[in-house]
Amino acid sequence: MQEPPTGGRRSSIPSKRDARIEAFLIHTEDRHDLGERIAIVGAGATGTYVLDALLRSGVAHAIVVFEVSNALGPGFAYAEHLNEAHALSNIAGIEIPPLIESVNAWALRQPSAKLDAWGIRASAGDNRAFFPRVALGAWLADQFAMIVARSPVPVSVQRQVEVVDVIAMPQGCRVDWRGTDGHIVQDHFDRVIVATGYGPIATDAAATDGHNEKAPAALGGGQRTERFAVLGSSLSAIDVVTAIATARGTFVPRGGTLTYVAETPWHATLLSRNGLLPEADYWFPHPLPTLNGFTPETAAATTRGDDGDLDRLFDQFVAVLRDGAPDWAARLGLADATADDFADRYFAARHSANAWAYARQNLADARNGHEHQDTPFWRIAILKAHEVFASVLPSLSKVDLARFHRGLKRVFTDNYAAVPHLSIERLLALHDAGYLDAHALGEAYNIVSQPDGTCLVASPNWAVTFDELLDARGTQTAAMNHFPFPTLRLQLCASAIEADQAWSSGLNPAGDLTMREQDRSLERVHLCALPFLLGNRPFVQGLVECAGMAAAISRAIEEGRATTFTDQMSAAELLDVLERPSVILPDGAVLPLAGSKR
């Protein structure tokens, strides 16, 4: 059809595209928003906080929760069958965001027999106490059940089912899941929240290192194994060593000091790059005070998305430390420190000291700080600063983010991951009894499985063969090629390629945990699959982060309800999506993909 001459009257006959848009508008103009039908994939800690936040905000008219296990609430991290009572959490009650009730209020109404089994009868009401993981798992399970029971809208829970695929579609999503009878069911939702948490995800490193990953509850049973190597030195590693120790002996309090008595011979070595032990939990004010001159607002104003942001952020951070802790800053030479060498300065004193002597003194200092509710300013500043850095890390350039991971991240992780005093006591008791030591592997080391089932660990000037090697390094960053839902993985990878981003490094969603900034067709899938977020959000771990993501998702959905259906995605935008390059799914559905670059 010819276009009318310039300046002449246009034909009153609409084009086929205009007609399709008009038909779409007629179809949607009378739509009433009564809330959304939402799917939550995963019923662990993240899924539990998400469910609670959605119901509090009233954005859903129906919710379906999918869980691969039979347990609702605890997830992988707090599962009863994967943890023993001696495996402590690394977060005190005062920091845990409440659900229907706080963890301490819940603990106070538990039967005495349960509290005795968990070893928390005397500390149930102490919001500074650390509870075992199984206790937190029981709290999460109870809270999940209470949330469902009190829900004002229908909540359907599909347990012991496998979600095999998630598909983002224009104005909705599809979830394919396999029930207990083995049949695949397809269901459609307005929105899907992927809250798969810390489930076991294979990594390339795991495939090549030749090490074993075992839950602490399963360790120590093979009595013929005597020489253990434990990769890592954080609380996860302490849990592993404690599990072995309790299977082969007993911790005995004697005169105010914890000792260890073994029943069978064994020995363990903590292996880490730097050979340092974690520090003991220190007292801090809650909530943390705002840092004068370094806040999320000042950080956001500094961040431009270009190389050099990290240096500008570091300058603000150092100014706070030099002002609030001048003597400590002078000892570290912060006047001429850089974002790249700060970590070396921070750890220098610990590297020069005996690890076990330092741990003993640090525990004494931490206990004194709790008694007097006093902690050096620099510790509090670092603890708060990690929140400020976390608020802008997803906006850093690839170069600056890599620099942060190599340097500053190590400081914040060490300071944030201080462990319960009892955990340090156990390490010292095992070392004093001759059953535990620690070794620094450095950056260049090899792990080689031997034909006889043993494992050789070798670094420059050091090599030892162990009967068993156990990985306790915690959750590692997962690449997108391990993302469990194939069609959504395809969509996410196509979107990343369209935006010239490296999809192999994981996900970097917007504040609402969607990839809408890269691809509007993905705006109804919220991504809380934690291992895939760690590359760009290295602090996105723990119950505080679970609650934070849940609040961000709920807030985004609530704000979206203030716009009309066509405001969220106009008819023209929808047709643009439908005209993209597409793939045909096995059931015949046509799926548009990003990739419109010419």
Side-chain angles (χ1 to χ4, degrees), residues 22 44 149 256 262 316 351 406 428 558 578 590:
E22 184 177 358
Q316 291 184 9
H351 277 300
R406 288 194 300 268
L428 293 172
E558 194 168 13
L578 295 176
V590 178

Side-chain angles (χ1 to χ4, degrees), residues 162-202:
E162 177 191 6
V163 173
V164 297
D165 210 356
V166 174
I167 302 162
M169 294 179 169
Q171 302 304 331
C173 307
R174 195 181 89 194
V175 174
D176 297 354
W177 55 281
R178 180 183 291 109
T180 54
D181 59 2
H183 291 98
I184 301 294
V185 180
Q186 294 182 349
D187 205 349
H188 292 266
F189 298 89
D190 296 303
R191 190 177 304 270
V192 172
I193 299 166
V194 180
T196 46
Y198 292 105
I201 297 174

Side-chain angles (χ1 to χ4, degrees), residues 17-18 20-21 570-580:
R17 180 179 176 85
D18 290 340
R20 293 173 70 190
I21 291 175
S570 69
E573 289 175 317
L574 178 64
L575 291 177
D576 285 337
V577 169
L578 295 176
E579 291 170 358
R580 287 176 175 179

Side-chain angles (χ1 to χ4, degrees), residues 33 36 38 50 54 57-60 191 193 512 523 526 550-562 568:
D33 186 1
E36 298 183 355
I38 301 176
V50 167
L54 294 179
S57 63
V59 297
R191 190 177 304 270
I193 299 166
D512 63 355
E523 69 178 350
H526 300 266
I553 292 170
S554 175
R555 184 167 54 249
I557 299 173
E558 194 168 13
E559 291 171 353
R561 296 181 72 191
Q568 293 179 24

Side-chain angles (χ1 to χ4, degrees), residues 12 52 67 77 109 115 170 248 273 348-349 360 365 436 449-450 453 467 499 516 560 565 578:
S12 61
D52 183 61
E67 170 58 33
R109 64 177 183 82
L115 299 179
R248 299 179 175 222
R273 283 186 170 87
R360 205 178 305 276
D365 293 341
L436 180 67
S449 297
Q450 302 298 300
D467 297 327
R516 62 183 301 164
F565 183 74
L578 295 176

Side-chain angles (χ1 to χ4, degrees), residues 22 74 104 127 185-186 196 212 253 285 344 382 403 507 520 570:
E22 184 177 358
N104 288 106
N127 64 9
V185 180
Q186 294 182 349
T196 46
N212 298 319
D344 292 335
I382 292 173
R403 291 172 59 205
L507 298 167
R520 283 293 298 275
S570 69

